[in-house]
Structure formats: structure tokens, C-alpha cells
């Protein structure tokens, strides 16, 4: 069991590292169409994971409450949105493709603020994996090791293009390949950290698990709406982001139903 849990916690970071390594193999800057498709793909995976791996299990925890089973899902989701909104306002960061930083004024470099933007993005993904693993460790929450593995695998898959989306622009700005790779990889370190923190918290506050599941879903939805979809819509109009979203959504939904 311990080795399975460690594998689940490390998969998202491995996906980010693998994607960041694309900087060694792709000679040119990533095309705008490919970037749009990958951002759409990541959005689709996150939305499907939020619904099937987090919101639905949250309601299932309160299934014996009838219509009130939606209560923890609704409350947790709203708090997750509010939490990411707060982080967005108190953390200086720069979204991909933007020239104006967001959050409080800071003397941080453009690269540092770009990494912070991705860190804000990755933290709720780590939380999502952590809360599902916490459910597995509780043993009586109806969450299987297969369900946790599926969620982690889905996030790892969508982290591959995300790692590339971070490392490739850094190289295009004149940074070395190794610097771009390391910075892209470091953006994913927050995920296992977030997972571990949530697992420790869930162990102390077992009754809150249904709320924590939907909290992670709300945080992930915030990232999709605030960051991924706007970035995929920048520049010349293209259907590739929509196609990427559909592929990511269908892939994650299928993985969750078949493997979970």
C-alpha cells in the first residue's frame, strides 16, 4: 500500500518533469496552435477530474442525507473558488502570454512571476490528489486505490503539456535549456507538497473529507476559468483549444469510469 501511495503522489510531478524535458527535443518555439490545443486538453482533463473524481464522490459521502447530499459539494466548491481567488489577489504572478503582472506590486523577475502563476495553478491539483489519497487511507470512505491512481494519472497526463508550455517559452526568451527545464520542473514540486499537507489535514479532520473533495474541485475549476481558457483564447481564433478540451475531457472521463 505504501509504495502505491508514493507512486500516486509522485505521478503528477513526473508528468511535469517529462513535459519540461521537451525543451531538449523541440528545436523551435511551440506553435500557437499547439499551445492552444494543449491548454484546451489540460482544461478538459481538469474539468472531468473535478466532476467524476471529486464532486460526485463528495456527494456520495452524504448519500444517506437524500437531497441534502449536495450540501458538502456546494459549500466546499464555493470555498475552493474563494480560496484560489484570494491567492490570485495576494500573490504577484504573470500569466502565460500576458505582459501585465497580477496581484500586488513586486520586484520579482518576469520568469519568477510566471513560475508563481503555474504554482498557483498546480497547488489545487496536488490538493485533489491528496484528498483522494486521504479517502483511500481512511478505508471506510468508499474511495478505492484505483480511483486515486486514475485521478493522479489523469493529472500527470495533463501536466506533460503544461511542463512544455512553461519550459519552451523560457528557452525562447533566451534562457538555457537546462535552466528552462529546471524552472519548468520546479513548478510541479508544489503538487506533492500540497498532497502531503491535505493528507495530514484530512487525518485530523476526517468528517471534512466530503467538503475537501469539492474544495479541490472548486479550486481546479477556478484555474480552468481564470487561467487556462483565457490563455487558450488569446491571439487568432482557433478551434484547436475546443478540440483539445473535448479530447482531454473524454480521456479523463473514460479513465475514471473504466479504471476507477
Amino acid at each position: 500500500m505504501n509504495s502505491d501511495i508514493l507512486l500516486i503522489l509522485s505521478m503528477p510531478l513526473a508528468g511535469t518533469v517529462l513535459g519540461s524535458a521537451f525543451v531538449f527535443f523541440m528545436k523551435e518555439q511551440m506553435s500557437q496552435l499547439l499551445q492552444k490545443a494543449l491548454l484546451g486538453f489540460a482544461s478538459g482533463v481538469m474539468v472531468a477530474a473535478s466532476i467524476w473524481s471529486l464532486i460526485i464522490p463528495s456527494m456520495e459521502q452524504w448519500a444517506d442525507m437524500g437531497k441534502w447530499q449536495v450540501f458538502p459539494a456546494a459549500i466546499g466548491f464555493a470555498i475552493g473558488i474563494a480560496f484560489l481567488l484570494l491567492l490570485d489577489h495576494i500573490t504577484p504572478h504573470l500569466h502565460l502570454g500576458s505582459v501585465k503582472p497580477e496581484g500586488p506590486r513586486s520586484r520579482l523577475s518576469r520568469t519568477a512571476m510566471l513560475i508563481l502563476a503555474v504554482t498557483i495553478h498546480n497547488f489545487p491539483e496536488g490538493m485533489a490528489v491528496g484528498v483522494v489519497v486521504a479517502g483511500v487511507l481512511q478505508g471506510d470512505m468508499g474511495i478505492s486505490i484505483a480511483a486515486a491512481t486514475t485521478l493522479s494519472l489523469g493529472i500527470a497526463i495533463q501536466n506533460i503539456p503544461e511542463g512544455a508550455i512553461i519550459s519552451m517559452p523560457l528557452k525562447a526568451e533566451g534562457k538555457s535549456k537546462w535552466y528552462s527545464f529546471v524552472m519548468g520542473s520546479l513548478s510541479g514540486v508544489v503538487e506533492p507538497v500540497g498532497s502531503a499537507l491535505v493528507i495530514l489535514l484530512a487525518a485530523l479532520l476526517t468528517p471534512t473529507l466530503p467538503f475537501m473533495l469539492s474544495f479541490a474541485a472548486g479550486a481546479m475549476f477556478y484555474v480552468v476559468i481564470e487561467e487556462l481558457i483565457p490563455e487558450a483564447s488569446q491571439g487568432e481564433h482557433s478551434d484547436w483549444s475546443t478540440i483539445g478540451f473535448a479530447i482531454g475531457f473524454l480521456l479523463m472521463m473514460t479513465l475514471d469510469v473504466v479504471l476507477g
Side-chain angles (χ1 to χ4, degrees):
M1 173 67 79
N2 289 338
S3 60
D4 291 335
I5 296 300
L6 288 176
L7 177 62
I8 291 170
L9 296 178
S10 63
M11 277 197 292
L13 175 59
T16 302
V17 173
L18 178 60
S20 299
F22 283 14
V23 74
F24 296 112
F25 310 108
M26 298 177 69
K27 295 183 179 180
E28 304 296 332
Q29 185 176 359
M30 188 180 297
S31 71
Q32 189 178 56
L33 289 180
L34 177 58
Q35 187 168 298
K36 285 176 176 291
L38 294 178
L39 286 167
F41 176 85
S43 300
V45 169
M46 291 182 71
V47 169
S50 296
I51 295 171
W52 270 272
S53 297
L54 299 170
I55 294 177
I56 292 177
S58 173
M59 289 189 288
E60 288 175 344
Q61 299 298 318
W62 274 38
D64 58 347
M65 298 299 291
K67 294 180 180 180
W68 287 102
Q69 67 178 316
V70 74
F71 181 76
I75 296 300
F77 187 91
I79 296 175
I81 292 283
F83 177 70
L84 261 291
L85 183 63
L86 175 64
L87 280 184
D88 215 27
H89 280 279
I90 66 174
T91 307
H93 61 282
L94 179 67
H95 290 297
L96 186 67
S98 299
V99 294
K100 185 179 179 180
E102 296 182 11
R105 291 185 178 182
S106 172
R107 296 183 179 181
L108 294 173
S109 67
R110 175 184 172 87
T111 299
M113 287 192 287
L114 181 63
I115 298 299
L116 277 175
V118 179
T119 299
I120 295 173
H121 173 158
N122 285 342
F123 187 68
E125 295 177 8
M127 293 175 62
V129 173
V131 71
V132 174
V133 168
V136 173
L137 294 176
Q138 293 296 327
D140 58 350
M141 305 300 292
I143 300 176
S144 67
I145 191 74
T149 302
T150 300
L151 175 63
S152 182
L153 177 61
I155 291 177
I157 291 172
Q158 67 99 22
N159 277 353
I160 294 174
E162 284 186 2
I165 288 171
I166 293 300
S167 63
M168 293 299 294
L170 290 177
K171 187 184 77 168
E173 290 179 359
K175 307 295 183 181
S176 71
K177 291 182 178 179
W178 273 105
Y179 178 88
S180 302
F181 167 71
V182 170
M183 289 297 103
S185 300
L186 286 177
S187 69
V189 171
V190 70
E191 294 193 27
V193 173
S195 298
L197 289 175
V198 171
I199 290 171
L200 292 175
L201 181 62
L204 298 174
L205 303 172
T206 301
T208 67
L209 186 61
F211 295 89
M212 294 176 68
L213 285 164
S214 55
F215 174 93
M220 289 174 68
F221 260 87
Y222 181 90
V223 169
V224 171
I225 297 168
E226 170 71 13
E227 182 177 342
L228 296 184
I229 291 178
E231 289 175 3
S233 302
Q234 290 177 352
E236 185 178 351
H237 172 73
S238 170
D239 293 327
W240 281 106
S241 59
T242 304
I243 295 171
F245 181 95
I247 294 172
F249 187 93
L250 290 171
L251 175 62
M252 186 63 210
M253 178 181 67
T254 302
L255 285 174
D256 196 276
V257 174
V258 173
L259 300 180

